[in-house]
Amino acid sequence: MWPITPLLLALALQAVWSETSSNDTKEDFPCKVVDGDHVYDLRELASRDYWKFEETLHTGLFESGVVYMSFCHPLRNVPVVCEGENVGVCETKKDDTGSEVPLGSRGQVSSRGPVVTEEGWVNYVFESGAKCNKSTHDATYKTYVHLSCARDTASETAGPILMSSPGCERTFAWITKAACPVKAEITTDSCTVKFSNLDYNLNLHSLHAEKYYNVSSSKAKYELNICGPVTGGHCGSEAATMCDVTDPSAPVVLGTLEGMDIKWENEALILSYKHQENSVKVMLFCKRTATSPVIDFVENNNKEVVLSVKTAAVCPPDEAPECVIEDDKGNVYDLRSLRKEQGNWEVVDERDDHKVC
């Protein structure tokens, strides 16, 4: 990571970052990444409609420009318009009157989301911006933001610092607490996973079936339970968590509670079972709309059975309720004006037969 030095700050000359807030915190694009047993979450940065970077360059001429940037969603409520789809970075230039003239998109919001590097910082890349006339290869503008963890307030910068802008690329560095990894504390015995930054437990016991789940592939049939044994099935073992029951008269135990493990792997929470030479890998993915777990067979490879589960049980809580709602007919309802800065709304039931004594 580049050190922040007086020379570096001089290059940015009078650069000022400001931001506006929005109550609409819907995440349209990936905003966090799981790396091993750590979570990197940029939702704090995404809570802004945009970040505004203003730069004054003393190059013999008095010139100034503005860059608008947003994370995990397209730019919102920006005072200028940059043409393009899902614009995440927009660059403008001020004319003699102080008005801003759009220079074009400098990159779209990342559909991949943040990426953790081997060095331990987070990269967020805005690609496929407007066509760049500075290139002879029909290139488009691209913006890189390198986010490094600020361990304390003193080392945190107010916003990204422009490191370089050669040709068709813009590179920023930002030392921020939002880029600090948070360790996900996993307790195998209780079958819970805690995100310490949210102080919230993902309790997998809610996925435990009273008896078991039936899972099948084109060649095999299985009985599975999560965070508990298969009950009343064909396994014949009190600790069995998954069995191959393709032949009900000769069931094969594939995993037990004693061989259970929980860990993060990319963006999935992995529940593993083992028994002798057999193993089971259950990949749990967040799906908020799932009222019951959706279990799919993935593969059976070298005595390892892999399953995929989509469930709301592994989703962290929303940071804020959704206040801008769109129905299936395209009507948009904005309830943000009902928010009270102080106190709460009170409802009084004045019906004669519903009075409270």
Side-chain angles (χ1 to χ4, degrees):
M1 197 67 203
W2 300 283
I4 306 301
T5 64
L7 176 59
L8 178 60
L9 294 176
L11 293 175
L13 293 177
Q14 298 182 11
V16 177
W17 277 94
S18 62
E19 67 274 2
T20 64
S21 300
S22 171
N23 290 332
D24 182 5
T25 58
K26 178 181 178 182
E27 293 176 25
D28 303 307
F29 295 84
C31 208
K32 68 177 182 178
V33 60
V34 178
D35 183 53
D37 60 351
H38 287 83
V39 180
Y40 297 78
D41 194 338
L42 301 184
R43 284 181 295 178
E44 179 183 344
L45 304 183
S47 65
R48 312 294 189 194
D49 282 350
Y50 60 84
W51 294 84
K52 179 182 176 183
F53 171 74
E54 188 166 354
E55 181 184 30
T56 301
L57 300 174
H58 298 283
T59 56
L61 298 173
F62 188 83
E63 298 178 343
S64 63
V66 178
V67 175
Y68 297 94
M69 180 186 299
S70 62
F71 293 87
C72 312
H73 61 75
L75 289 166
R76 298 181 297 218
N77 302 318
V78 182
V80 295
V81 176
C82 265
E83 295 184 358
E85 184 179 2
N86 295 327
V87 176
V89 179
C90 179
E91 186 173 356
T92 71
K93 184 177 181 180
K94 288 189 175 181
D95 59 20
D96 295 337
T97 66
S99 300
E100 294 182 42
V101 179
L103 299 179
S105 168
R106 296 304 182 245
Q108 297 180 359
V109 184
S110 174
S111 59
R112 183 182 180 186
V115 176
V116 181
T117 68
E118 293 182 358
E119 292 80 6
W121 64 67
V122 179
N123 279 348
Y124 197 94
V125 183
F126 302 84
E127 299 183 273
S128 303
K131 182 179 178 181
C132 181
N133 297 324
K134 298 179 181 179
S135 172
T136 58
H137 303 289
D138 199 29
T140 57
Y141 279 97
K142 181 184 296 187
T143 300
Y144 299 88
V145 182
H146 303 301
L147 302 115
S148 181
C149 173
R151 295 299 178 183
D152 52 58
T153 304
S155 61
E156 192 170 21
T157 56
I161 295 176
L162 182 63
M163 303 297 295
S164 63
S165 57
C168 306
E169 296 182 354
R170 305 287 184 268
T171 301
F172 291 88
W174 192 349
I175 302 178
T176 170
K177 289 183 178 179
C180 295
V182 176
K183 186 175 179 58
E185 299 176 7
I186 299 175
T187 306
T188 302
D189 294 339
S190 61
C191 215
T192 61
V193 180
K194 181 179 180 181
F195 287 97
S196 56
N197 61 330
L198 297 178
D199 195 25
Y200 180 77
N201 287 323
L202 299 180
N203 192 342
L204 302 186
H205 279 291
S206 61
L207 297 176
H208 178 65
E210 183 177 354
K211 292 186 176 180
Y212 53 85
Y213 297 99
N214 288 306
V215 185
S216 62
S217 68
S218 59
K219 298 181 180 180
K221 294 181 179 180
Y222 306 95
E223 293 174 350
L224 165 75
N225 214 339
I226 298 176
C227 293
V230 171
T231 304
H234 296 84
C235 287
S237 170
E238 294 183 356
T241 52
M242 183 165 176
C243 298
D244 186 330
V245 294
T246 307
D247 181 358
S249 63
V252 179
V253 178
L254 303 180
T256 65
L257 289 173
E258 289 81 358
M260 187 178 75
D261 186 35
I262 310 174
K263 67 178 181 179
W264 287 104
E265 189 173 290
N266 296 324
E267 294 189 0
L269 183 61
I270 305 298
L271 181 64
S272 300
Y273 295 129
K274 292 183 179 181
H275 179 64
Q276 297 177 357
E277 296 180 355
N278 300 310
S279 62
V280 180
K281 182 179 181 181
V282 184
M283 302 184 297
L284 299 125
F285 297 94
C286 168
K287 185 176 182 180
R288 296 188 184 277
T289 57
T291 56
S292 60
V294 180
I295 305 175
D296 295 310
F297 174 85
V298 177
E299 64 177 348
N300 188 342
N301 184 20
N302 295 328
K303 293 190 176 183
E304 181 183 56
V305 177
V306 182
L307 306 175
S308 171
V309 180
K310 295 178 181 177
T311 172
V314 298
C315 297
D318 287 326
E319 288 190 343
E322 188 64 60
C323 284
V324 180
I325 305 169
E326 182 176 358
D327 63 19
D328 55 1
K329 295 182 180 180
N331 299 310
V332 178
Y333 305 90
D334 190 343
L335 306 180
R336 288 178 291 180
S337 61
L338 297 177
R339 180 177 180 270
K340 298 186 71 173
E341 295 295 334
Q342 294 181 348
N344 302 302
W345 292 104
E346 295 184 4
V347 178
V348 179
D349 192 338
E350 295 183 344
R351 290 175 293 178
D352 293 336
D353 58 343
H354 285 75
K355 289 184 177 180
V356 178
C357 296

Short mmCIF file of all heavy atoms in Angstrom, two decimals, residues 242 263 265 270-273 279-283 298 304-308:
data_model
loop_
_atom_site.label_atom_id
_atom_site.label_comp_id
_atom_site.label_asym_id
_atom_site.label_seq_id
_atom_site.Cartn_x
_atom_site.Cartn_y
_atom_site.Cartn_z
N MET A 242 -26.23 -37.89 7.41
CA MET A 242 -26.58 -38.12 6.01
C MET A 242 -26.29 -39.56 5.64
O MET A 242 -25.26 -40.12 6.02
CB MET A 242 -25.81 -37.18 5.08
CG MET A 242 -26.21 -37.35 3.62
SD MET A 242 -25.65 -35.99 2.56
CE MET A 242 -26.17 -36.58 0.95
N LYS A 263 -17.34 -23.71 8.20
CA LYS A 263 -16.35 -22.71 7.80
C LYS A 263 -16.90 -21.89 6.64
O LYS A 263 -17.85 -22.27 5.97
CB LYS A 263 -15.03 -23.38 7.39
CG LYS A 263 -15.13 -24.22 6.13
CD LYS A 263 -13.78 -24.82 5.76
CE LYS A 263 -13.86 -25.65 4.49
NZ LYS A 263 -12.56 -26.21 4.11
N GLU A 265 -16.33 -20.31 2.92
CA GLU A 265 -15.60 -20.60 1.69
C GLU A 265 -16.17 -19.69 0.61
O GLU A 265 -17.28 -19.92 0.13
CB GLU A 265 -15.74 -22.07 1.30
CG GLU A 265 -14.84 -22.50 0.15
CD GLU A 265 -14.91 -24.00 -0.08
OE1 GLU A 265 -14.41 -24.75 0.76
OE2 GLU A 265 -15.49 -24.41 -1.10
N ILE A 270 -20.07 -23.21 4.64
CA ILE A 270 -19.91 -24.63 4.35
C ILE A 270 -20.11 -25.45 5.62
O ILE A 270 -19.41 -25.25 6.62
CB ILE A 270 -18.52 -24.94 3.76
CG1 ILE A 270 -18.27 -24.06 2.53
CG2 ILE A 270 -18.42 -26.42 3.41
CD1 ILE A 270 -19.24 -24.28 1.39
N LEU A 271 -21.06 -26.37 5.57
CA LEU A 271 -21.28 -27.34 6.64
C LEU A 271 -20.78 -28.68 6.13
O LEU A 271 -21.23 -29.18 5.11
CB LEU A 271 -22.77 -27.42 6.98
CG LEU A 271 -23.19 -28.37 8.10
CD1 LEU A 271 -22.59 -27.93 9.42
CD2 LEU A 271 -24.71 -28.43 8.20
N SER A 272 -19.80 -29.25 6.84
CA SER A 272 -19.18 -30.51 6.39
C SER A 272 -19.47 -31.63 7.38
O SER A 272 -19.46 -31.43 8.60
CB SER A 272 -17.66 -30.33 6.25
OG SER A 272 -17.36 -29.33 5.30
N TYR A 273 -19.73 -32.82 6.84
CA TYR A 273 -19.89 -34.03 7.62
C TYR A 273 -18.91 -35.08 7.12
O TYR A 273 -18.63 -35.15 5.91
CB TYR A 273 -21.32 -34.60 7.49
CG TYR A 273 -22.42 -33.73 8.04
CD1 TYR A 273 -23.53 -33.42 7.26
CD2 TYR A 273 -22.37 -33.25 9.33
CE1 TYR A 273 -24.57 -32.66 7.77
CE2 TYR A 273 -23.40 -32.48 9.85
CZ TYR A 273 -24.50 -32.18 9.05
OH TYR A 273 -25.51 -31.42 9.57
N SER A 279 -17.48 -38.27 2.91
CA SER A 279 -17.64 -36.89 3.36
C SER A 279 -18.80 -36.24 2.62
O SER A 279 -19.16 -36.63 1.51
CB SER A 279 -16.35 -36.08 3.13
OG SER A 279 -16.04 -36.00 1.75
N VAL A 280 -19.37 -35.24 3.28
CA VAL A 280 -20.50 -34.49 2.73
C VAL A 280 -20.19 -33.01 2.85
O VAL A 280 -19.73 -32.54 3.90
CB VAL A 280 -21.81 -34.80 3.49
CG1 VAL A 280 -22.97 -34.00 2.89
CG2 VAL A 280 -22.10 -36.28 3.47
N LYS A 281 -20.42 -32.27 1.77
CA LYS A 281 -20.19 -30.83 1.76
C LYS A 281 -21.51 -30.14 1.43
O LYS A 281 -22.05 -30.28 0.33
CB LYS A 281 -19.13 -30.46 0.71
CG LYS A 281 -18.78 -28.98 0.64
CD LYS A 281 -17.70 -28.76 -0.40
CE LYS A 281 -17.30 -27.30 -0.51
NZ LYS A 281 -16.25 -27.10 -1.54
N VAL A 282 -22.04 -29.41 2.42
CA VAL A 282 -23.31 -28.70 2.25
C VAL A 282 -23.00 -27.21 2.13
O VAL A 282 -22.56 -26.58 3.09
CB VAL A 282 -24.26 -28.95 3.43
CG1 VAL A 282 -25.61 -28.27 3.18
CG2 VAL A 282 -24.46 -30.45 3.64
N MET A 283 -23.23 -26.64 0.95
CA MET A 283 -22.94 -25.22 0.70
C MET A 283 -24.22 -24.42 0.91
O MET A 283 -25.20 -24.61 0.19
CB MET A 283 -22.42 -25.02 -0.72
CG MET A 283 -21.17 -25.81 -1.04
SD MET A 283 -20.51 -25.45 -2.70
CE MET A 283 -21.87 -26.02 -3.73
N VAL A 298 -25.48 -31.49 -6.11
CA VAL A 298 -24.50 -30.88 -7.01
C VAL A 298 -23.65 -31.95 -7.69
O VAL A 298 -23.61 -32.05 -8.91
CB VAL A 298 -23.60 -29.87 -6.27
CG1 VAL A 298 -22.54 -29.29 -7.22
CG2 VAL A 298 -24.43 -28.75 -5.66
N GLU A 304 -17.11 -37.87 -2.01
CA GLU A 304 -17.60 -36.64 -1.40
C GLU A 304 -18.89 -36.22 -2.11
O GLU A 304 -18.90 -36.00 -3.32
CB GLU A 304 -16.60 -35.49 -1.48
CG GLU A 304 -17.14 -34.22 -0.82
CD GLU A 304 -16.20 -33.03 -0.94
OE1 GLU A 304 -15.85 -32.68 -2.09
OE2 GLU A 304 -15.83 -32.45 0.10
N VAL A 305 -19.97 -36.15 -1.36
CA VAL A 305 -21.25 -35.70 -1.90
C VAL A 305 -21.37 -34.19 -1.63
O VAL A 305 -21.18 -33.74 -0.49
CB VAL A 305 -22.42 -36.45 -1.26
CG1 VAL A 305 -23.75 -35.92 -1.78
CG2 VAL A 305 -22.31 -37.95 -1.52
N VAL A 306 -21.67 -33.42 -2.67
CA VAL A 306 -21.78 -31.97 -2.55
C VAL A 306 -23.23 -31.55 -2.78
O VAL A 306 -23.84 -31.93 -3.79
CB VAL A 306 -20.86 -31.26 -3.57
CG1 VAL A 306 -20.95 -29.74 -3.39
CG2 VAL A 306 -19.42 -31.71 -3.39
N LEU A 307 -23.76 -30.77 -1.85
CA LEU A 307 -25.13 -30.28 -1.93
C LEU A 307 -25.13 -28.76 -1.85
O LEU A 307 -24.24 -28.15 -1.26
CB LEU A 307 -25.98 -30.84 -0.79
CG LEU A 307 -26.02 -32.36 -0.61
CD1 LEU A 307 -26.82 -32.71 0.63
CD2 LEU A 307 -26.60 -33.04 -1.84
N SER A 308 -26.15 -28.15 -2.45
CA SER A 308 -26.33 -26.70 -2.40
C SER A 308 -27.65 -26.40 -1.71
O SER A 308 -28.68 -26.99 -2.05
CB SER A 308 -26.33 -26.11 -3.82
OG SER A 308 -26.71 -24.76 -3.82
#
